[in-house]
Amino acid sequence: MMLAVALTALLAAAPLTPESMEQQAAQHVLREFERVGRRAPVQDPALTEAARRLAREALSTRNPSGVPDLHSLTLAVSDSGATDPSPFHFVIRAWAHAHAIETFLARKDFNTSPASHFGVGVVTAGERAALFLLMVDRKAELQRFPRNFQRPGAAQVMCGEMVPPLTAADVYVTLPDGNVERVPLTRNAGSKFCAQLKFPKVGGYTVEVLGRSTKGPEVVALFLVDVGGPSQRNEEEPVTEPTTVEEARQSILRRINSLRHAYGLNELTPDPALDTVAQAYSDRMAREGFFGHVAPDGMDLRGRMAAMGPAYRSAGENLGTASGPLAAHFGIEHSPGHRKNLLSSQFTHAGIGVTFQPVDGRPQAIVTEVFSAPVQLSATADPVVETYKALDAIRKQYKLPALKRSQALEEIALDHVKRALQQDTPKAKLSDSNVHERVFRVVENARSAAVDIYVAEDPTAAPESKSLLDARNNQVGVGIIRGDSRTFGKDRYWVVVIYTTPR
């Protein structure tokens, strides 16, 4: 007992420096993961640098909580050289150094979420101290990429590798004028990828990498690049956050339509049916404790739309979470993949859902934005012709070459879709018809073949699939039949789209 008392007194007498506090905090993180039998995350130098910057800002801010907005968080993580989007974070501010570390060491609740890397930073000012923790579940490893270029016209290759189960990448860049461009990959070898990024103008750019898996797309990397000197981004004006769902809907839709107006696009009309879809999903994410475009039971936006009833020919979804609805929408606006939905000319209606809830004593808003266009196919329109137009429009939107219509592929597609409806099975491989095998038997110059098959109330609701957006594909054939299905309902269009790449 005497030894224990003496040891405690000795530890208490040791001076607390930011370095020693960071070391204690890092060891606590590792111990807490090991205590519950989970693999401990790796301490990451870039996240540590970002955490120190955020701790320094927490001490200087007038915000009572010291919690940064998403803009500040993204800047700090990006400027440190990291690329992790929306990391888990929390801050402790105290009027005594010992209180900051003692409060952190008492926490046992941060080891429940997946985490592969972390950083912890401590900053002191006189007797005051701030401790900031960042944790991420890294889904992609990117090679070091510059965050600043002195002159416009710069170009730089970005390479990376997806962490399983992600196996494919899409790269987007938001230009200083707000336009979003999809960057073609210069290397696409399974989980490894490269893309050449170009920065033609002075200003701030946002680079985003989306990963794909069986559960759908997921933002895996996000960082900011400045061209023409130091940061080109203006400081965000403080905003008053809405406190009710209706106020939040109006404020967010007003910002969306203001952005669309700036680019000469039609304003989106509020749609009560889409509001219902969006609100139900925000509520579900809050209730079940997940955040993503695909729910734990596998249901995606298409399934949610079908379950709720509204019939639309195209649909898109944005998700955001922050301390308030407008802060969440700020993150959406500065994400190239999500911004593409905001500026899509094909959408005419919008629905917004907002759920407010406290998390660890702090406010949180979960925002779901659903965009769509009603079914507009007239009774006299040719569904095949209209579907080809829809495919051409999507290719044009991504600045991809037009696809050539192939009669041979059309014949295979139409025969296969008839069999699929008869068997009530929308698959490319049936017991009596394998699309890929049939294509290679009939189309002599085909090097590869890809198939999309879907069931919809409007055949022009073509999915933006990897096959459709593959620049190597140059031929297409569409087969459509309308009929009743025990699984998918009555009077639905069954659609088969075949793409081929020439030798």
Side-chain angles (χ1 to χ4, degrees):
M1 180 65 71
M2 291 291 291
L3 178 61
V5 172
L7 181 60
T8 301
L10 181 62
L11 289 174
L16 284 174
T17 64
E19 293 77 14
S20 66
M21 294 167 70
E22 285 182 2
Q23 185 177 10
Q24 290 184 60
Q27 291 174 349
H28 180 60
V29 171
L30 300 178
R31 284 196 302 267
E32 283 304 298
F33 274 84
E34 293 170 353
R35 181 176 63 83
V36 296
R38 299 184 60 193
R39 178 179 295 179
V42 176
Q43 189 167 8
D44 184 88
L47 292 178
T48 298
E49 179 185 333
R52 288 172 181 160
R53 168 172 163 174
L54 291 164
R56 186 163 50 250
E57 292 175 359
L59 276 184
S60 61
T61 183
R62 289 176 292 180
N63 181 350
S65 69
V67 177
D69 58 35
L70 187 58
H71 179 68
S72 300
L73 180 65
T74 302
L75 277 175
V77 172
S78 177
D79 289 348
S80 73
T83 62
D84 307 288
S86 303
F88 170 86
H89 62 281
F90 72 79
V91 59
I92 296 172
R93 294 194 304 183
W95 288 98
H97 300 181
H99 292 167
I101 188 63
E102 288 169 359
T103 301
F104 182 75
L105 296 179
R107 294 198 64 140
K108 310 287 185 181
D109 57 349
F110 53 78
N111 55 11
T112 57
S113 301
S116 61
H117 296 76
F118 79 99
V120 60
V122 175
V123 172
T124 61
E127 296 299 318
R128 298 165 58 231
L131 185 153
F132 206 101
L133 174 68
L134 288 169
M135 288 200 314
V136 302
D137 186 22
R138 190 162 291 169
K139 301 296 181 66
E141 293 286 352
L142 268 61
Q143 295 178 7
R144 190 82 176 182
F145 194 89
R147 297 299 191 265
N148 288 279
F149 293 93
Q150 291 299 315
R151 297 180 180 179
Q156 182 86 15
V157 174
M158 177 191 70
C159 292
E161 183 173 3
M162 291 292 172
V163 175
L166 297 169
T167 58
D170 293 314
V171 179
Y172 295 89
V173 174
T174 298
L175 279 65
D177 61 8
N179 287 323
V180 179
E181 292 186 353
R182 186 171 186 266
V183 182
L185 300 182
T186 57
R187 181 189 184 191
N188 186 10
S191 61
K192 297 181 179 180
F193 64 93
C194 292
Q196 186 178 51
L197 307 185
K198 299 179 181 179
F199 306 97
K201 304 176 182 178
V202 170
Y205 294 74
T206 303
V207 180
E208 181 184 52
V209 180
L210 268 67
R212 295 186 178 274
S213 69
T214 56
K215 293 185 177 181
E218 180 178 357
V219 179
V220 297
L222 178 71
F223 61 93
L224 311 176
V225 174
D226 289 305
V227 177
S231 178
Q232 300 294 319
R233 296 173 191 82
N234 296 323
E235 292 297 324
E236 295 296 307
E237 294 291 333
V239 297
T240 301
E241 288 285 2
T243 56
T244 68
V245 172
E246 190 55 40
E247 289 176 350
R249 282 177 177 160
Q250 294 176 5
S251 297
I252 291 173
L253 186 60
R254 188 160 51 244
R255 287 183 65 114
I256 292 172
N257 281 333
S258 176
L259 180 68
R260 291 175 67 87
H261 179 74
Y263 292 98
L265 297 170
N266 60 292
E267 291 192 355
L268 300 180
T269 302
D271 187 318
L274 295 181
D275 282 342
T276 300
V277 173
Q279 189 62 47
Y281 197 54
S282 283
D283 290 344
R284 180 180 178 185
M285 286 189 288
R287 184 175 60 252
E288 299 182 15
F290 72 93
F291 184 78
H293 292 284
V294 181
D297 61 2
M299 181 172 285
D300 57 9
L301 176 61
R302 185 181 295 272
R304 294 192 290 277
M305 295 280 282
M308 300 298 287
Y312 295 89
R313 63 183 173 87
S314 59
E317 181 179 69
N318 288 341
L319 302 179
T321 182
S323 58
L326 292 182
H329 180 74
F330 169 85
I332 289 171
E333 282 188 352
H334 287 75
S335 162
H338 292 102
R339 192 179 180 91
K340 175 177 169 291
N341 280 336
L342 298 177
L343 296 177
S344 174
S345 59
Q346 65 179 313
F347 297 140
T348 58
H349 291 70
I352 296 167
V354 181
T355 300
F356 298 92
Q357 66 174 3
V359 176
D360 294 332
R362 303 195 304 267
Q364 181 191 57
I366 300 177
V367 173
T368 301
E369 302 171 351
V370 177
F371 309 97
S372 202
V375 173
Q376 297 177 334
L377 190 67
S378 68
T380 58
D382 183 336
V384 174
V385 172
E386 296 302 318
T387 300
Y388 276 118
K389 290 180 180 178
L391 298 175
D392 287 341
I394 295 174
R395 295 275 292 192
K396 185 177 180 180
Q397 180 180 349
Y398 285 98
K399 299 180 180 180
L400 297 172
L403 297 165
K404 298 177 182 178
R405 188 167 170 175
S406 166
Q407 183 177 352
L409 295 179
E410 283 185 2
E411 292 175 355
I412 297 173
L414 180 58
D415 180 75
H416 186 84
V417 78
K418 290 178 179 178
R419 297 171 188 263
L421 175 59
Q422 291 173 354
Q423 299 177 33
D424 201 22
T425 306
K427 294 183 179 180
K429 185 177 182 180
L430 304 172
S431 60
D432 57 355
S433 176
N434 185 317
V435 173
H436 296 86
E437 292 179 356
R438 296 178 67 178
V439 168
F440 291 126
R441 285 200 303 266
V442 173
V443 184
E444 295 182 355
N445 68 333
R447 185 178 68 181
S448 64
V451 184
D452 288 338
I453 180 167
Y454 57 96
V455 183
E457 294 186 16
D458 180 1
T460 64
E464 293 187 6
S465 66
K466 184 178 179 180
S467 303
L468 174 58
L469 301 181
D470 190 336
R472 296 171 297 180
N473 289 333
N474 78 331
Q475 290 192 95
V476 63
V478 174
I480 300 177
I481 190 170
R482 193 173 187 178
D484 300 339
S485 162
R486 294 187 304 274
T487 304
F488 299 93
K490 295 182 178 181
D491 199 30
R492 297 294 180 95
Y493 288 95
W494 286 57
V495 185
V496 168
V497 185
I498 306 174
Y499 307 89
T500 60
T501 301
R503 294 184 183 277

